[in-house]
Amino acid sequence: MQRLYGPDAEGSHYAMYQALRKEHGPVAPVLLQGDVPAWLVLGHRENLEVMRNSKLFSNDSRIWTVKLGPDSPLLPVTAWQPLLVFADGSEHARLRSAITDSLGRFRRRGIRSYVVRYTEQLINQFSANGNADLVADFSEKLPALVVARIYGVPEADALAVGAAVRDMVKGTPTALESNDFVVGVLTELVKHKKESPGDDFASWLLSHESQLSDAEVMEHLRHALVAAIENTCNLIANTLRMVLTDHRFRASLSGGSMTLPDALDQVFWDAPPLARVPTRWATADTRLGTQEIRAGDMVILDLAAGNVDPDIRPDLSKPVHGNRSHLAFSSGPHECPGEDIGRAIADTGIDTLLARLPDIQLVGGEDELRVTTSLISSRLDNLPVAFAPRRAQRRSSAEVADATSADVTSTGAASTGAASAGMTSTGAAGRPAAPGQPRTASSTPAAGSGGLTRQPWWRRLLSGGR
C-alpha cells in the first residue's frame, strides 16, 4: 500500500498519482504517518463529490475510527477543535457566516494599496544588492505584513507572527513554542479590540451577530492567519518560480495570450498552494469511485491530484487560461472564504515586484531549488535571483498623504495605521512590541515611481528591462 510519508513519498507526486490511478482508479488506499490507513481521492469528480456532500462526508474528526497516540504527527491537522473547519450543519453555518461577512467588508482596492506599499518596502531592503531570495526576502514576508494589517494585528508584530506561522507549519522542534507565541499575540489582540475596535477583521468578528466568544474569535483568527499567510506565500513563490523557469509561461506572456490573473490560475491548476485536505470522514458505509468506504474512514481530498485528472486534463501541456474550475479553493460548504484576498496579494505583489525589477533572473538551475513536502503541501524553500542593483525609492509627501487616506474597508472610514507606522524587522527570535506600543514612522516608496514605463511587466521581463 502506498505510503504518503518517508522514502515512498519522495520523488514526483504526478508519477505516484499515475501509478495509483492505474492500480485503484480515482480513489486509492494509502498509509499516513504511523501506517494509519486512509483513502486518497485522486479524481476531480470524486473530490467534488466529497466536498459537496457534507452529510455523507463530515468534517468532525471525532467520528474517526482511528485513535491516534499522543505523539502522532497527524494530531495538529486532525485533532478536533471548535473551529469551522471541523464543524458541520448549523454550527458550521454560524461560524462561517461570521468569517464570510467579516471578510466581505474589505475593499479590494484598499487591500491592493497595502500590498503595493509593503512590496515597495521589501524591495527597498534588497534592491541595492542586485540579488535576493524571493522566498525568504519576499514571498514569506509580504503576506504576513498585509494579512496582519487587515486582520488588526499590530504592524510591529507582523513579521514575528509570520515567522512563527512558518515554524508551526514546518513542524519544527519549536513549533509548539511558535504556536504559543501566535496565541499570545492574538489573545492580546482580542482584548485590545474589545476595548478599542477598529476597521479590521478581528473587530468585525467580535461584533458579528453570530456572537462568537472571545475564545472562538481568537481560534478563528489563528486558523485564518495561518491559512492566509501560508497559502499566499506558496502561491507567490510558485508563481514566481514558473515565471522564471517555465518556457511555456514565457512564451504565453510574450505572445500576450496570458495575463497575470491567467498565470495565477495556471499555478492553481499545476501547483495549488494547499495540495491536500485531510479533514473528511465518512458518516456511513458508501461507495466512492470503485472503493467501498466504511463509516468512520478518513477520506483525504487530494487537490493537486484532482487538478491533473486525465479525465478533465488529458493534455497537461495545454494552458488553462481563464478556467477556474480547479480545486485549489475547494468547493461546497467548506470552500475557502478568503480566496479573493489571496489573489489580490499575489497579483498585485508580483506585478509590483516585476515592474520594479524587470531584469530579474533565476540564479543557478531549477534543479538547485529546494522543496519541502508534507502531508498537506509542497513548499518552495528558496528562489535565488539576480538583477541590476537599484537605489531604494521613496515617496513624495503628496504620495504618502494620498496613501494614508486609502480605504481598506467598505465602511467609508479611513485606515491610516499602516501608512503612518514603519515596517519593523523584528524576527522570531525577538519579542515584537506589544499592541499599542509606539512605533517608529518611516517613509514608504511609491508604486511605479522611478521613471518606469507602465507597459505589461512580462514584456519588460522578456526584454531585460528595455
Side-chain angles (χ1 to χ4, degrees), residues 140-141 144 157-170 172 174-175 178-179 181-182 229 379 426-430:
E140 289 186 339
K141 291 181 177 180
D157 290 357
L159 293 181
V161 167
V165 165
R166 294 194 299 277
D167 194 52
M168 292 164 56
V169 172
K170 292 177 181 178
T172 70
T174 57
S178 293
N179 180 67
F181 173 83
V182 172
I229 290 176
R379 159 184 266 275
T426 306

Side-chain angles (χ1 to χ4, degrees), residues 372-406:
T372 298
T373 60
S374 68
L375 174 61
I376 62 175
S377 67
S378 293
R379 159 184 266 275
L380 182 63
D381 294 324
N382 67 315
L383 192 61
V385 295
F387 47 86
R390 290 164 173 80
R391 291 191 303 175
Q393 297 178 357
R394 301 296 175 187
R395 287 189 178 191
S396 67
S397 299
E399 288 169 330
V400 172
D402 179 65
T404 302
S405 64

Side-chain angles (χ1 to χ4, degrees), residues 184-258:
V185 171
L186 296 180
T187 299
E188 196 172 358
L189 174 67
V190 171
K191 179 181 178 181
H192 174 69
K193 291 300 179 180
K194 286 191 72 174
E195 298 171 352
S196 303
D199 289 321
D200 51 64
F201 188 47
S203 299
W204 297 332
L205 286 179
L206 285 166
S207 63
H208 193 267
E209 62 183 7
S210 296
Q211 297 184 329
L212 273 61
S213 67
D214 291 0
E216 287 177 324
V217 171
M218 190 281 295
E219 288 294 349
H220 281 87
L221 279 172
R222 182 174 68 92
H223 175 74
L225 194 73
V226 172
I229 290 176
E230 178 65 10
N231 290 340
T232 307
C233 169
N234 288 347
L235 174 59
I236 294 173
N238 289 341
T239 304
L240 286 171
R241 175 181 182 171
M242 287 194 175
V243 167
L244 294 170
T245 64
D246 193 314
H247 295 298
R248 177 187 57 181
F249 256 53
R250 294 207 172 195
S252 298
L253 291 172
S254 63
S257 61
M258 179 187 286

Side-chain angles (χ1 to χ4, degrees), residues 135-156:
V135 173
D137 298 329
F138 185 69
S139 68
E140 289 186 339
K141 291 181 177 180
L142 180 62
L145 289 162
V146 178
V147 171
R149 175 62 188 88
I150 64 180
Y151 280 20
V153 176
E155 191 176 64

